[in-house]
Amino acid sequence: MTLNYQPITCHFCFETFEVDLGIEAQFCGHNVEIFDCEICCNPNKVDTEIDEGEIISLVVSDGNE
Ligand SMILES: [Zn+2]
């Protein structure tokens, strides 16, 4: 099972949309990706900490930095 389509809350407009993290089932570690909001189009930096394919921490911040 992969962690596709994780709902996140936009850092800018606070709307919720789904992003495709595309993380492998056995992945361990840190993943950072930029996703443009589907509603306001601003870049959200999605910072995740993964342990064997499970999200243990997900932080959304300003992707412009
Ligand atoms: Zn937005």
Side-chain angles (χ1 to χ4, degrees):
M1 182 188 136
T2 55
L3 296 175
N4 294 332
Y5 303 106
Q6 183 69 27
I8 66 164
T9 301
C10 178
H11 181 75
F12 300 90
C13 70
F14 306 106
E15 295 287 343
T16 300
F17 65 102
E18 291 188 335
V19 296
D20 181 3
L21 294 173
I23 293 164
E24 300 292 326
Q26 300 306 315
F27 181 79
C28 288
H30 197 208
N31 187 63
V32 180
E33 269 189 83
I34 305 285
F35 294 97
D36 291 339
C37 176
E38 288 178 357
I39 297 94
C40 71
C41 298
N42 279 302
N44 285 266
K45 187 173 90 174
V46 179
D47 211 311
T48 46
E49 205 69 57
I50 316 293
D51 184 20
E52 293 190 3
E54 299 247 338
I55 295 175
I56 52 177
S57 155
L58 191 155
V59 178
V60 180
S61 58
D62 186 346
N64 288 307
E65 288 172 358

